[in-house]
Amino acid sequence: MVPEGAQLVIPQGWIRFAFHPLKSTGHFFRHGLGWFAEQLFVTDLIGGKEKMSASLDDIEAASNQALNASALLKGIDLSKDENAKEAIDVLSAHRDSAEWWHFLSGTFASIVRDAIGAGDAEQAAWATACVERCRSMVIFKEHLEEVVWMGHSAARIIQLLSTWDVNRQNADELFWQATFKEQTYALSQVFAVPLVFIQDNAYVGGMSIDRKNAKLLDYLFSAEFSREAVLVELKTPMTRLLAAEYRTGVHPPSADLAGAVVQALTYRNHLMRELTFVLGDRGPKVTAFAPKCVVVAGTGTAELDTDAKRRSFELFRSNCSKDVEIVTYDELFRKLEVLANLFGLKRRQSPPDPTRQTTP
């Protein structure tokens, strides 16, 4: 119960509006986004020409406030004219910063004021246009840039899912290596811990004195916090998971899958024995006490079409899981799809999956 006569006090800064969802204390509806954009871009322009001087004052004050608070200009006394060149040099070296556009906004606002005083309408009009364009860049840098980048980053997930839609039967291993080289974050979805990408086509040891027999792993990652190495070996979606039925209801792993598992374990063994030599003193800090291996191969929905096959595959996979995690391509891309759905991302209608089993 609120006692009679009590006054509601909202602390300063408690309510914050921002396009960036993590910087806002609330959530916008779609119409609210338009309203907030209007507040940023045009609300302070509504009024007569008699408010021009006050608008210029506001722009110059915002510019001075941003520059005085800037970490880029820390240690430079902006109140002293002799420091102006040093400050401009620093800002010129950081033209991708909001401070640079604040500086230009304030500079052009001053030009507008001088042009009005001199009765130079053409100069005033030109400088006013420059003020507004620079002010728009300030708004972009402070309110929109991170959100736009988030959108572009999210689009990469959709693009990768689209690549999967049209390449489910692509048996070119080099294609998949190149695809994941550009989108290494996708492979990290296999794990429950954050990973750091180290190198693709990574040398993990085994080279003899004649430089032959070098072991080249498709991808080398490390756990972000423990720095333990993670080895990833790629096959293709068309790699067979199971061989022909051995006994009734028993399906052994295919030669390709078993070979990939042994290959990954071989690379792991070489890396554990030769880590110092492989990375050298200048290499990234990676440990190899008990590295985890991952083999990405095959398409479960296409091949595991009976209970017996699914059981045989899971028995083999679960018994390998101590040292080698086996993940099918459709499982990997399903994880990416769940991630995309979490953020409300929708890709275009995918074409029918020729590998998917349908029930009449």
Side-chain angles (χ1 to χ4, degrees), residues 30 41 44 62 73 87 104 116 130 134 138 147 157 190 198 207 235 238-239 248 256 295 305 335 348 350-351 354:
R30 180 172 290 274
F41 285 102
D44 59 351
L73 301 175
L104 291 182
I116 292 174
C130 292
C134 293
V138 167
V147 179
I157 301 177
V190 174
I198 302 298
M207 185 167 65
K235 305 319 277 184
M238 300 304 290
T239 300
T248 302
D256 286 340
V295 171
D305 53 359
K335 286 192 173 186
R348 293 179 180 178
S350 58

Side-chain angles (χ1 to χ4, degrees), residues 122-171:
E122 187 174 359
Q123 176 82 343
W126 166 77
T128 300
C130 292
V131 168
E132 283 309 305
R133 293 191 180 191
C134 293
R135 179 173 169 273
S136 295
M137 283 301 299
V138 167
I139 293 173
F140 172 75
K141 285 290 181 180
E142 293 183 344
H143 295 276
L144 296 171
E145 185 173 32
E146 288 187 39
V147 179
V148 172
W149 177 244
M150 287 169 62
H152 279 274
S153 299
R156 293 163 58 199
I157 301 177
I158 298 301
Q159 291 166 0
L160 190 55
L161 286 170
S162 298
T163 298
W164 167 242
D165 286 338
V166 297
N167 286 279
R168 293 172 186 259
Q169 297 189 33
N170 190 331

Side-chain angles (χ1 to χ4, degrees), residues 110-123:
S110 179
I111 294 174
V112 172
R113 192 185 303 280
D114 292 341
I116 292 174
D120 188 341
E122 187 174 359
Q123 176 82 343

Side-chain angles (χ1 to χ4, degrees), residues 4 42 55 77 96-97 123 127 168 176 197 202-204 207 256 268 278 321:
E4 185 177 352
V42 300
S55 295
D77 188 349
D96 61 340
S97 66
Q123 176 82 343
R168 293 172 186 259
W176 291 107
F197 173 68
Y203 171 68
V204 291
M207 185 167 65
D256 286 340
R268 176 180 185 266
V278 168
S321 62

Side-chain angles (χ1 to χ4, degrees), residues 292-313:
K292 187 72 175 179
C293 300
V294 175
V295 171
V296 182
T299 306
T301 52
E303 188 175 347
L304 307 180
D305 53 359
T306 68
D307 288 341
K309 289 180 180 179
R310 286 189 286 270
R311 181 173 57 250
S312 294
F313 175 71

Side-chain angles (χ1 to χ4, degrees), residues 53-237:
S53 180
S55 295
L56 293 174
D57 289 341
D58 291 343
I59 291 171
E60 289 178 315
S63 174
N64 291 332
Q65 182 180 1
L67 296 181
N68 283 313
S70 172
L72 295 175
L73 301 175
K74 187 176 181 180
I76 302 176
D77 188 349
L78 300 179
S79 65
K80 297 181 178 180
D81 292 341
E82 60 266 27
N83 293 334
K85 184 180 184 306
E86 181 184 0
I88 293 172
D89 288 343
V90 171
L91 293 171
S92 296
H94 296 84
R95 297 190 178 208
D96 61 340
S97 66
E99 290 94 326
W100 169 251
W101 296 104
H102 269 297
F103 163 70
L104 291 182
S105 295
T107 300
F108 283 115
S110 179
I111 294 174
V112 172
R113 192 185 303 280
D114 292 341
I116 292 174
D120 188 341
E122 187 174 359
Q123 176 82 343
W126 166 77
T128 300
C130 292
V131 168
E132 283 309 305
R133 293 191 180 191
C134 293
R135 179 173 169 273
S136 295
M137 283 301 299
V138 167
I139 293 173
F140 172 75
K141 285 290 181 180
E142 293 183 344
H143 295 276
L144 296 171
E145 185 173 32
E146 288 187 39
V147 179
V148 172
W149 177 244
M150 287 169 62
H152 279 274
S153 299
R156 293 163 58 199
I157 301 177
I158 298 301
Q159 291 166 0
L160 190 55
L161 286 170
S162 298
T163 298
W164 167 242
D165 286 338
V166 297
N167 286 279
R168 293 172 186 259
Q169 297 189 33
N170 190 331
D172 185 352
E173 193 169 320
L174 293 178
F175 168 83
W176 291 107
Q177 289 176 355
T179 296
F180 286 114
K181 180 180 179 179
E182 295 177 358
Q183 313 281 1
T184 54
Y185 72 90
L187 295 175
S188 68
Q189 300 305 308
V190 174
F191 301 92
V193 297
L195 297 183
V196 176
F197 173 68
I198 302 298
Q199 188 177 338
D200 66 302
N201 204 30
Y203 171 68
V204 291
M207 185 167 65
S208 58
I209 194 170
D210 59 1
R211 298 183 179 274
K212 295 181 179 179
N213 303 317
K215 309 302 182 186
L216 298 178
L217 176 71
D218 287 333
Y219 297 97
L220 178 64
F221 290 82
S222 73
E224 184 174 352
F225 299 114
S226 70
R227 296 176 177 171
E228 183 71 348
V230 177
L231 293 75
V232 179
E233 186 66 19
L234 281 182
K235 305 319 277 184
T236 80

